[in-house]
Amino acid sequence: MATDSRIHFWKRNTKVPGSLQPVYGAQHPPLDPRIPRAFLKDTPKSNSTQNVKSKKASSFLEFARSTNDAWDIDDEEDEDLLMGAAPPAPVPHSRPTVPTFLPTQPDSDSESHPSDTLGPLRSEPCHDQQMSDDRSTNGRVVRSNSEAQLNTSSVRSSLQKQQSLPVRPIVPLVARISDQNSSGAPPMTIREKTRLDKFRQLLASPNTDLEELRTHSWSGIPREVRPITWRLLSGYLPANMERREQVLQRKRDEYFGFIEQYYHSRTDEHHRDTYRQIHIDIPRTNPLIPLFQQALVQEVFERILFIWAIRHPASGYVQGINDLVTPFFVVFLSEFVEEDVENFEMSGLSLDTQRNIEADSFWCMSKLLDGIQDNYTFAQPGIQIKVKALEELVSRIDEDIHNHFQKCEVEYLQFAFRWMNNLLMRELPLRCTIRLWDTYQAESEGFSHFHQYVCAAFLIKWRKEILSMLDFQGLLMLLQNLPTIHWGNEEVGLLLAEAYRLKYMFADAPNHYRR
């Protein structure tokens, strides 16, 4: 009987603009009219009209508060469209619950699926509430105070909504490339200006002192001089200033000679599988950063990786090498972009500049991989050795963590393989990787040896969280999704300091802390 009265009520009020609609998204899945709704319970009406009104007004306010945060970001645009497309009809004794957000159901829908228009409220409370709160003036519905409060609270600024719903920022924090600390402090301080002057003095000398340059680079390289410093520390540029331009031109011409000689063979049967794998992996490289989703940039990466692969047949292309191009590419691009590198349009640069960035990225990546190529040869023995060394090191540094892994049956290879294969690039934002590589290039064996101590310090950093996970699945999920989204230069500096301490204590003392 209650169902019949509910159906007839909504048939008589099909034009009510405030008809409740199911709210999709947020925490509420779409409602299926074929599934009986256990939460729609009929309750006997009270004899006291005053008690019923006060009780139902309270229920409505509770409902308004509980659904106030479920609206989408672009509701203001939807509101304008709905108000222009479906003006409310002059219906007396009707309460428009949320008229600015939800459209009016057509007659056919109301008749065929009357339960769809009910939403999470019963029809009887809506009717009683209409009798108590609505005011009608010359056929026009006047909004009540409770509705005005709801609309006022729901119309918020775009900034507030983006803060409350952080799923739609244009570039998320994890994808921001610019140097910054988590505290939001400006990267250029008086100390940084002094360091920048020192770097410029070193780089301007006729023969750059590479040892002194490494010493100053260990604690971070200023953004303004990072490109030339990386070229020097990687061994791509000579220390002698007079020879630099000549060497640069020769190496760039040599790279594009490789392109002309080999790149057309990407469709040959012998190289087809290699090129296909590269072509698949490139779009997956930093998918949150718009810069790397540009077709022009992806073509650059394809050429760099394909040429490197066919010139190094012992390893060829291995998944993960594609990530190692990005720091070099971003650093050399930053010479021509002041800020907002992640959104920069590569097509805005001249063709010569694009070619120079591509060639420099290729040669510096090649220099890096020369020191860790055994990570990518058959069966990847270099990674196997480094993961085993990490396990031994952690067992000496923090026996509790080591025993906890054994208790939960977690193998180091299950999480540390990616740390070695991608040099922590999947664990840290790109801005942190760039800062980390400042130090790696300042170390004599930064990528091959010091990285092991950075991984150990990185693991110990999450000691509390690791020991709180008591099962295999939870522990592995934590280790594969560590919360570093807010990290900046400050956190990376602390991590490197701890890694240096571990290296100083354990590198030349293989039996230190061994039981």
Side-chain angles (χ1 to χ4, degrees):
M1 188 66 183
T3 304
D4 295 338
S5 63
R6 189 179 300 128
I7 294 173
H8 292 306
F9 171 79
W10 288 105
K11 282 184 178 181
R12 294 194 306 270
N13 295 272
T14 57
K15 297 293 184 181
V16 176
S19 302
L20 286 172
Q21 304 297 312
V23 178
Y24 299 160
Q27 300 176 358
H28 308 286
L31 301 177
D32 191 342
R34 296 171 296 181
I35 300 176
R37 302 179 186 176
F39 57 83
L40 296 176
K41 298 181 180 179
D42 294 330
T43 55
K45 296 183 179 180
S46 174
N47 295 329
S48 173
T49 306
Q50 183 176 1
N51 293 337
V52 170
K53 291 180 181 179
S54 62
K55 178 181 178 181
K56 292 173 180 169
S58 175
S59 299
F60 172 76
L61 292 176
E62 290 177 2
F63 169 73
R65 284 194 296 269
S66 66
T67 59
N68 189 33
D69 61 347
W71 311 123
D72 208 344
I73 290 178
D74 299 325
D75 284 337
E76 287 87 351
E77 299 177 3
D78 297 338
E79 177 182 355
D80 297 337
L81 292 174
L82 295 176
M83 293 298 289
V91 180
H93 305 301
S94 63
R95 173 172 179 76
T97 310
V98 196
T100 59
F101 291 95
L102 301 176
T104 304
Q105 285 284 352
D107 294 342
S108 60
D109 292 341
S110 299
E111 293 176 2
S112 60
H113 301 290
S115 62
D116 287 349
T117 59
L118 291 176
L121 289 182
R122 298 173 56 232
S123 60
E124 292 85 349
C126 292
H127 187 268
D128 292 337
Q129 190 72 15
Q130 294 160 5
M131 298 292 292
S132 62
D133 289 342
D134 285 356
R135 303 187 184 97
S136 180
T137 304
N138 295 329
R140 184 180 63 183
V141 178
V142 180
R143 299 178 181 178
S144 63
N145 292 333
S146 60
E147 181 193 350
Q149 293 174 0
L150 176 61
N151 290 336
T152 300
S153 62
S154 63
V155 178
R156 295 169 291 180
S157 66
S158 299
L159 179 60
Q160 290 173 328
K161 289 184 177 182
Q162 289 179 3
Q163 291 174 349
S164 62
L165 299 172
V167 295
R168 289 192 181 181
I170 297 175
V171 178
L173 179 61
V174 71
R176 294 178 192 166
I177 300 175
S178 58
D179 295 341
Q180 61 179 5
N181 294 325
S182 61
S183 59
M188 182 61 71
T189 61
I190 296 177
R191 177 177 176 273
E192 288 295 325
K193 290 179 180 179
T194 304
R195 295 186 70 247
L196 177 59
D197 292 339
K198 182 62 177 178
F199 270 91
R200 284 175 172 162
Q201 181 181 352
L202 279 171
L203 296 171
S205 61
N207 289 284
T208 302
D209 187 340
L210 294 182
E211 287 303 317
E212 188 175 358
L213 185 63
R214 288 191 179 95
T215 301
H216 287 84
S217 299
W218 204 98
S219 56
I221 303 171
R223 182 181 187 272
E224 293 80 0
V225 295
R226 181 176 280 141
I228 186 173
T229 304
W230 275 26
R231 292 186 184 104
L232 286 165
L233 295 181
S234 64
Y236 175 44
L237 273 187
N240 185 275
M241 179 179 287
E242 295 180 356
R243 296 180 54 231
R244 289 176 191 170
E245 193 62 34
Q246 180 183 357
V247 170
L248 270 181
Q249 192 60 48
R250 178 173 58 83
K251 299 296 284 186
R252 289 166 179 172
D253 291 343
E254 185 179 355
Y255 168 73
F256 284 102
F258 295 152
I259 295 291
E260 294 178 4
Q261 184 177 359
Y262 299 116
Y263 193 60
H264 64 86
S265 66
R266 65 190 183 279
T267 56
D268 294 349
E269 183 178 358
H270 185 62
H271 300 303
R272 189 179 302 162
D273 291 341
T274 297
Y275 179 74
R276 178 180 174 274
Q277 189 60 58
I278 292 172
H279 188 72
I280 291 173
D281 288 346
I282 292 301
R284 303 172 182 170
T285 305
N286 293 290
L288 297 177
I289 302 179
L291 172 69
F292 298 112
Q293 301 310 307
Q294 299 175 28
L296 185 61
V297 174
Q298 292 182 359
E299 291 171 3
V300 169
F301 277 47
E302 286 180 1
R303 289 192 292 268
I304 290 174
L305 294 171
F306 181 76
I307 296 301
W308 187 88
I310 64 175
R311 292 189 74 246
H312 296 80
S315 62
Y317 172 75
V318 177
Q319 285 181 307
I321 296 179
N322 55 307
D323 288 328
L324 306 183
V325 186
T326 55
F328 293 112
F329 184 83
V330 168
V331 167
F332 298 143
L333 177 62
S334 67
E335 283 186 288
F336 311 97
V337 182
E338 292 296 329
E339 56 185 9
D340 199 22
V341 179
E342 56 270 16
N343 284 315
F344 182 75
E345 284 291 334
M346 191 69 177
S347 58
L349 295 176
S350 66
L351 181 59
D352 287 342
T353 300
Q354 295 178 29
R355 289 166 60 90
N356 292 343
I357 293 173
E358 179 177 347
D360 292 353
S361 300
F362 169 80
W363 286 115
C364 287
M365 185 199 74
S366 298
K367 293 288 186 180
L368 184 159
L369 290 173
D370 286 347
I372 57 173
Q373 191 171 352
D374 59 342
N375 285 8
Y376 306 104
T377 54
F378 178 73
Q380 299 181 270
I383 292 180
Q384 305 277 352
I385 294 171
K386 290 179 176 67
V387 171
K388 189 65 179 176
L390 176 65
E391 179 178 358
E392 182 183 352
L393 183 61
V394 172
S395 67
R396 296 158 63 193
I397 296 171
D398 196 321
E399 192 175 7
D400 291 340
I401 289 181
H402 182 71
N403 292 337
H404 188 63
F405 284 156
Q406 291 181 333
K407 180 180 178 181
C408 296
E409 299 181 348
V410 171
E411 300 289 339
Y412 284 79
L413 200 63
Q414 292 170 331
F415 64 89
F417 180 90
R418 190 172 73 178
W419 295 11
M420 302 299 177
N421 189 62
N422 301 86
L423 300 178
L424 287 177
M425 286 194 63
R426 298 289 177 90
E427 277 56 52
L428 298 173
L430 183 53
R431 61 180 179 271
C432 295
T433 299
I434 292 173
R435 167 62 190 92
L436 188 67
W437 284 21
D438 287 346
T439 300
Y440 280 4
Q441 298 201 74
E443 284 277 333
S444 57
E445 295 180 321
F447 294 99
S448 59
H449 184 63
F450 186 64
H451 178 70
Q452 164 184 326
Y453 294 94
V454 173
C455 289
F458 188 65
L459 186 64
I460 304 303
K461 165 76 177 176
W462 310 102
R463 185 180 195 276
K464 180 179 178 182
E465 291 81 357
I466 288 172
L467 295 178
S468 67
M469 293 294 173
L470 304 178
D471 63 294
F472 173 85
Q473 183 178 356
L475 183 53
L476 205 58
M477 287 292 291
L478 170 69
L479 292 169
Q480 292 178 348
N481 299 276
L482 292 166
T484 60
I485 183 175
H486 296 287
W487 276 33
N489 290 344
E490 181 181 346
E491 288 77 11
V492 175
L494 293 173
L495 178 69
L496 290 167
E498 178 63 15
Y500 182 81
R501 184 185 71 85
L502 295 177
K503 179 187 174 184
Y504 184 81
M505 292 177 63
F506 294 97
D508 298 323
N511 294 320
H512 189 41
Y513 282 2
R514 186 183 295 277
R515 296 170 185 264

